[in-house]
Amino acid sequence: MAEQPEQGRALSRPPLYVSNKNETVRMFESDFVELFSRVHPAIPLVLYLPVVGFMLYMALWRQKLSFLVVAGFFLLGILLWTLVEYLIHRYVFHYEPKTRVGKRLHYIIHGVHHDYPNDARRLVMPPSISVPLAFLFYGMFLLIFARFASSAFAGLVFGYVCYDMLHYATHHFPMKRGAWLWLKQYHLRHHYKDDHVGYGISSPLWDYVFRTTRK
């Protein structure tokens, strides 16, 4: 295991500092708060695969929707996730604040990941953030899709789980051939070559749509 950096060391690093090791940095003085900034990569699977299953159960057995209708809205939910992933990564995670508080908040949300991209316990979204967002999106889907909300939301959540697992894999699994290797290289270029392009992680689709692929 790599030696843990001293507390707050990352805050004194130059902006282009990037660790190549599976090492971490302490972000909070409180042990309790610090605990919630670290997440085992299996947590999204444990929390959200049952949600996907329950939503599909609701759509197919409780609402009696046809398999084709459920499959269509499920795929739409996955597509919507790829767009949400792109927009959050580009406009929230890579927003560049000017104030001291804003810069500190940005570092906590995403900057620490660019300084320590291989920190295994900070590669998936903490439940303290993902759970409130899940409720928010489910409420939005109820308003937009009405009786088809369960099908579409199942797709959105499944897309999110795939994103978190793929993000972890790109940093810690070999992924030596085919599309897996291409996706790994695509994301690592975002980290080590140019972080102003390549915002898609589970899919480069919206990078091509909005012309943010690497030139």
Side-chain angles (χ1 to χ4, degrees):
M1 182 178 294
E3 181 181 353
Q4 180 170 330
E6 296 176 3
Q7 179 176 347
R9 191 180 84 178
L11 298 181
S12 64
R13 289 287 186 178
L16 296 180
Y17 170 71
V18 179
S19 167
N20 292 312
K21 303 176 182 178
N22 181 5
E23 60 179 343
T24 190
V25 65
R26 188 180 178 98
M27 292 198 298
F28 303 99
E29 292 184 5
S30 166
D31 290 339
F32 181 75
V33 177
E34 179 72 12
L35 175 66
F36 285 94
S37 75
R38 304 177 190 277
V39 185
H40 191 280
I43 291 297
L45 292 172
V46 174
L47 280 181
Y48 293 109
L49 284 185
V51 173
V52 174
F54 178 75
M55 289 294 161
L56 291 176
Y57 164 77
M58 289 290 293
L60 289 167
W61 281 277
R62 296 294 296 273
Q63 296 176 294
K64 305 296 184 182
L65 299 176
S66 73
F67 177 81
L68 288 178
V69 168
V70 172
F73 278 94
F74 184 84
L75 292 175
L76 176 61
I78 294 176
L79 179 65
L80 289 174
W81 166 257
T82 62
L83 178 60
V84 168
E85 172 194 316
Y86 175 88
L87 294 175
I88 290 177
H89 192 185
R90 181 177 181 180
Y91 294 108
V92 178
F93 290 174
H94 282 272
Y95 174 72
E96 298 181 4
K98 306 299 182 185
T99 66
R100 184 173 180 274
V101 173
K103 290 178 180 179
R104 171 63 176 166
L105 183 61
H106 171 265
Y107 184 84
I108 292 171
I109 292 173
H110 195 62
V112 67
H113 174 55
H114 273 266
D115 278 4
Y116 295 88
N118 296 313
D119 184 348
R121 292 302 177 99
R122 288 197 173 116
L123 280 171
V124 301
M125 193 177 295
S128 57
I129 298 175
S130 66
V131 171
L133 285 177
F135 279 104
L136 174 64
F137 277 106
Y138 185 59
M140 292 170 59
F141 273 41
L142 285 173
L143 292 174
I144 297 170
F145 296 110
R147 64 192 296 259
F148 305 109
S150 295
S151 307
F153 187 67
L156 183 89
V157 175
F158 182 76
Y160 161 69
V161 172
C162 291
Y163 149 77
D164 255 352
M165 295 302 98
L166 185 59
H167 189 207
Y168 183 85
T170 56
H171 287 282
H172 286 281
F173 290 178
M175 302 172 72
K176 293 182 178 180
R177 57 179 61 88
W180 301 116
L181 174 61
W182 190 89
L183 283 171
K184 181 182 180 74
Q185 293 173 335
Y186 189 81
H187 182 57
L188 294 185
R189 281 196 294 268
H190 172 77
H191 275 281
Y192 295 101
K193 295 293 185 182
D194 186 355
D195 64 359
H196 293 91
V197 295
Y199 297 105
I201 296 172
S202 61
S203 167
L205 170 63
W206 300 104
D207 282 312
Y208 285 101
V209 172
F210 296 113
R211 299 182 179 181
T212 51
T213 54
R214 185 165 178 256
K215 301 298 185 293

